[in-house]
């Protein structure tokens, strides 16, 4: 059931086009598909302060942040030394400059209140990280308790294993303040949602709103495999423990049994922060970042796509491009936590080969199985019905229904 056209929703985020990235794709989908049921006003970070009318039901208010940390953003063209220097400077800057978005938060709050005073919002959705969108929404909710509020956590806040010390304590305090007044909490996977639900049982609404793919799947042409050549793609960055060295070693050991094939490894948008074995130097090809649809088209030309994620104590990690990988219906070579949600989804759909990140022998065995299947023309990919259910529009439908239930309550 659709809401009446006059129901109004504010979406607060730092991530929105023309920026790019996983978080941007999530927020863009929220804006696009929620505007089918609501009049949506997006309040976000921008290169300049301006308002853009995208459609009758989608209006974007950009507020300039002048965030110094943006100048330290890593680029795939950076050398390993430059990448490491930028990373060190960014860590140092965050310790010295603890509130880089302080002015942006103040200016955006003013804009949000201005629009609300002219025509009030029925609901707001704020998205973490960073924390500032939640802080804006928290202040707004306290001043306007009748407006329903959903906090999109995306990932964990203080329970994130990569956050420590003072910042962890600050996020825990903020989480507890949010839980006192928020109407609903959503995140990208069931384990993360369940952790929030366990910690904050007083919050009335919880839901898993996954990411997904967001393009027309049937626009691809048929691919004719090149005789004797297998192409494996990786799309995204390597950082921390997420590096391809284990995959390279497993590939070298499994490939010996299939000398009739040449394997090309295409790394798209990666930083040069890892070592390539001598034997693979000529077959590892690095590409600059591609616009989203160009990357999707390139994925479709691969014979398999690589997913790499170290094992963490936390569960619920749908890594990087998994939904895009699934949507192009090419096998996924997954070196991940074999007991977590990404592995479960690939196994459920029989869409690839899963090996534990900490088990080199399992990685070799799964690569051998991939080569055997390739030789026998077996392509492991999900069915059309399974994949279509993973479209971002389907996820946002769940969010729309949740908001409708809250607003109508």
């Amino acid at each position: 059931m659709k809401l009446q056209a006059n129901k109004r929703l504010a979406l607060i985020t730092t991530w929105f086009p023309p920026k790019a990235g996983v978080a941007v794709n999530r927020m863009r989908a929220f804006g696009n598909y929620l505007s089918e049921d609501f009049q949506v006003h997006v309040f976000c970070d921008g290169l300049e302060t301006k308002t853009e009318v995208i459609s009758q039901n989608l209006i974007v208010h950009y507020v300039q942040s002048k965030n110094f940390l943006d100048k330290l953003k890593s680029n795939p063209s950076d050398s390993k030394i430059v990448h490491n220097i930028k990373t060190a400077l960014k860590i140092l800057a965050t310790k010295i400059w603890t509130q880089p978005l302080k002015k942006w938060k103040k200016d955006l709050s003013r804009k949000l209140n201005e629009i609300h005073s002219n025509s009030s919002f029925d609901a707001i959705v704020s998205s973490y990280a960073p924390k500032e969108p939640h802080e804006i929404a928290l202040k707004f909710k306290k001043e306007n308790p009748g407006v329903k509020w959903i906090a999109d956590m995306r990932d964990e806040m203080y329970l994130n294993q990569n956050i420590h010390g003072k910042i962890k304590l600050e996020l825990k305090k903020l989480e507890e303040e949010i839980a006192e007044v928020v109407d609903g909490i959503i995140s990208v996977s069931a384990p993360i949602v369940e952790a929030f639900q366990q910690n904050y049982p007083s919050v009335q609404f919880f839901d898993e709103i996954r990411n997904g793919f967001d393009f027309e799947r049937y626009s691809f042409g048929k691919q004719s495999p090149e005789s004797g050549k297998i192409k494996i793609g990786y799309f995204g960055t390597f950082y921390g423990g997420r590096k391809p060295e284990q995959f390279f070693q497993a590939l070298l050991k499994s490939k010996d049994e299939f000398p009739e094939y040449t394997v090309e490894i295409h790394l798209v948008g990666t930083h040069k922060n890892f070592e390539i074995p001598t034997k693979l130097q000529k077959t590892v090809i690095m590409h600059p970042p591609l616009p989203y649809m160009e990357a999707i088209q390139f994925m479709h030309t691969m014979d398999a796509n690589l997913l790499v994620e170290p094992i963490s104590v936390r569960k619920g990690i749908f890594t990087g491009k998994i939904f895009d990988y699934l949507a192009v219906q090419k096998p996924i070579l997954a070196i991940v936590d074999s007991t977590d949600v990404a592995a479960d989804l690939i196994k459920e759909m029989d869409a690839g080969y899963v090996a534990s990140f900490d088990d080199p022998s399992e990685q070799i065995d799964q690569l051998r199985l991939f080569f055997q299947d390739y030789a026998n023309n077996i392509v492991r990919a999900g069915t059309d019905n399974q994949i279509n259910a993973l479209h971002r529009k389907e996820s946002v439908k769940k969010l729309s229904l949740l908001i409708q239930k809250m607003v109508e309550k």
Side-chain angles (χ1 to χ4, degrees), residues 27-272:
M27 294 296 97
R28 178 177 57 197
F30 278 20
N32 286 343
Y33 299 125
L34 286 174
S35 67
E36 295 179 2
D37 295 329
F38 300 87
Q39 185 178 80
V40 178
H41 287 251
V42 180
F43 297 84
C44 61
D45 182 21
L47 295 175
E48 59 180 312
T49 298
K50 63 179 182 178
T51 293
E52 285 190 8
V53 178
I54 308 300
S55 68
Q56 182 179 353
N57 282 342
L58 181 58
I59 300 170
V60 182
H61 306 281
Y62 292 99
V63 175
Q64 187 179 22
S65 70
K66 297 181 180 179
N67 187 350
F68 171 74
L69 295 179
D70 289 342
K71 299 183 183 299
L72 297 177
K73 186 176 180 180
S74 295
N75 297 308
S77 59
D78 293 340
S79 67
K80 187 174 182 179
I81 293 174
V82 170
H83 174 77
N84 290 339
I85 290 173
K86 282 186 175 180
T87 300
L89 286 174
K90 187 178 289 186
I91 292 171
L92 179 62
T94 55
K95 291 182 178 179
I96 297 173
W97 194 16
T98 57
Q99 297 188 65
L101 292 174
K102 182 177 180 180
K103 186 176 185 304
W104 176 83
K105 184 171 71 171
K106 181 179 178 181
D107 292 344
L108 193 138
S109 289
R110 185 185 301 116
K111 186 67 175 179
L112 174 66
N113 284 317
E114 174 191 320
I115 303 297
H116 179 69
S117 65
N118 291 331
S119 183
S120 60
F121 291 109
D122 298 282
I124 57 173
V125 177
S126 58
S127 188
Y128 171 88
K131 62 184 175 64
E132 281 78 8
H134 281 350
E135 291 176 332
I136 293 167
L138 176 63
K139 182 175 183 293
F140 181 86
K141 174 68 175 181
K142 288 180 177 179
E143 294 170 351
N144 303 277
V147 179
K148 302 300 182 181
W149 174 26
I150 290 181
D152 174 32
M153 295 301 186
R154 243 178 31 234
D155 299 313
E156 307 98 325
M157 288 185 67
Y158 96 91
L159 288 179
N160 189 315
Q161 300 300 308
N162 298 316
I163 295 174
H164 306 282
K166 181 181 177 182
I167 295 177
K168 194 177 187 74
L169 293 175
E170 289 174 351
L171 288 178
K172 186 174 189 297
K173 183 174 183 291
L174 177 59
E175 262 193 31
E176 291 169 346
E177 290 179 3
I178 289 169
E180 289 178 0
V181 297
V182 78
D183 298 284
I185 291 176
I186 61 175
S187 190
V188 297
S189 68
I192 298 177
V193 172
E194 288 164 6
F196 280 112
Q197 195 165 12
Q198 183 175 356
N199 286 342
Y200 306 112
S202 62
V203 177
Q204 190 170 5
F205 297 97
F206 292 88
D207 211 340
E208 174 195 29
I209 307 297
R210 290 181 179 179
N211 290 321
F213 69 94
D214 198 8
F215 53 86
E216 176 53 63
R217 290 184 51 239
Y218 303 105
S219 61
F220 304 121
K222 288 287 185 181
Q223 294 299 130
S224 300
E226 298 181 45
S227 179
K229 181 184 289 187
I230 297 175
K231 294 188 292 185
I232 298 173
Y234 179 87
F235 297 77
T237 57
F238 292 120
Y239 60 88
R242 184 196 290 174
K243 296 289 174 60
E245 281 90 350
Q246 288 193 58
F247 168 73
F248 290 153
Q249 294 304 318
L251 178 62
L252 287 171
K253 292 175 182 177
S254 58
K255 170 69 178 58
D256 287 342
E257 299 178 22
F258 302 88
E260 68 271 28
Y261 295 123
T262 298
V263 177
E264 282 185 357
I265 306 163
H266 295 266
L267 306 179
V268 181
T270 59
H271 302 302
K272 299 174 182 176

